[in-house]
Every structure is written in C-alpha cells, then in structure tokens.
Amino acid sequence: MPTANEAPRLYPALRYRNAAKMIDWLYEAFGFEARARYGEGDIVHHAELTFGSSMIMLGTARDDDYGKMVGAPGGGGGKSIYIAVDDADAAYARAKKAGAKIIQEVVDRDYGSREFICLDPEGNVWSFGTYWPKVEEKA
C-alpha cells in the first residue's frame, strides 16, 4: 500500500443511497479499509475509508443542508475519483470479481499509465491506473 510523509489534504466525500452496503462493497472491490463509522443501524452519518495514505469520506444521502448542496447520488455527471495503484491488472480483477461495472477495459496510455475505469453499484466513476504523480516531483 502507498505511504506518505504528509497526511493528505484532499478527501473526496461521497453520498450513497445505501452507504452501509457500499462500505462493504468498497472493501471487497477496491481494498478500502474502514477507519471510522458513525451512525445508527443502516444509516451512516459519516464514515472514513482508507486506501494507503489516502482517505475518502462517505455517508448516507440525507435531505439535510449538506445534502441539498451536493445533490442526490447518481446522475448529474462530473464525478470521478482516480486511484493510483501499483498493479492495474490486479485492481481490475478484484473490482470485476466484486461486480464493478467495467466501462473501460484495461488499457496502456501514451503517457505510460496502465488503467481502467469502472462504476460502483450506485453509479460513481472510479479510475485506477499506474500513473501516480507525486507532489514533490516536477511534472
């Protein structure tokens, strides 16, 4: 798993219709680990899932002030998360086995990355690739 000297500063935040189920699916399909989970029963008020030194936050979609700002899950376009991995083929096999809908098969890009794109069960776009830019490295 990736490591870093500095804690991440960006934390994608997702809302799901069934966040409790998605936490389990994200573990199975992509290898996330639960760091924190708050809520009652199947309602997840806030959860933090880690992937190496990175983290996403998620919760059950609710009709609260934040929910009104970000909108309902699904549709709307413009949502995608990219995850840098050491082995795109292994990540692809794991995601496919867990039922991720593959929308772009594994491909070698002209900029040197090997990657694929899939959807989670609630329609969010996830890209996995070997392109891994580092903040401290010159582009």
Side-chain angles (χ1 to χ4, degrees), residues 14-17 60-63 66-77 79 122 124:
L14 303 168
R15 288 283 177 111
Y16 285 105
R17 287 180 286 279
T60 302
R62 298 185 304 278
D63 188 24
Y66 184 70
K68 290 173 185 166
M69 285 185 269
V70 300
K79 297 173 285 200
E122 292 201 17
N124 292 300

Side-chain angles (χ1 to χ4, degrees), residues 2-7 9 53 132-139:
T3 60
N5 293 331
E6 178 183 80
R9 294 174 184 262
S53 62
W132 187 2
K134 314 291 191 306
V135 171
E136 66 277 2
E137 294 176 359
K138 205 168 180 91

Side-chain angles (χ1 to χ4, degrees), residues 14-30 32 37 44 49 56 58-59 119-124 126:
L14 303 168
R15 288 283 177 111
Y16 285 105
R17 287 180 286 279
N18 189 338
K21 182 178 176 182
M22 287 305 304
I23 289 169
D24 294 337
W25 190 88
L26 290 165
Y27 166 78
E28 180 184 350
F30 301 155
F32 279 95
R37 179 179 169 168
V44 178
L49 304 182
I56 62 171
L58 63 91
L119 296 175
D120 68 28
E122 292 201 17
N124 292 300
W126 295 82

Side-chain angles (χ1 to χ4, degrees), residues 59-95:
T60 302
R62 298 185 304 278
D63 188 24
D64 58 9
D65 288 341
Y66 184 70
K68 290 173 185 166
M69 285 185 269
V70 300
K79 297 173 285 200
S80 175
I81 296 177
Y82 176 86
I83 298 179
V85 295
D86 294 323
D87 185 341
D89 294 288
Y92 172 88
R94 182 177 187 154

Side-chain angles (χ1 to χ4, degrees), residues 82 104 107-115 129-132:
Y82 176 86
Q104 183 175 73
V107 63
D108 292 317
R109 301 283 187 203
D110 58 1
Y111 50 88
S113 185
R114 184 162 176 78
E115 50 195 50
T130 57
Y131 176 68
W132 187 2

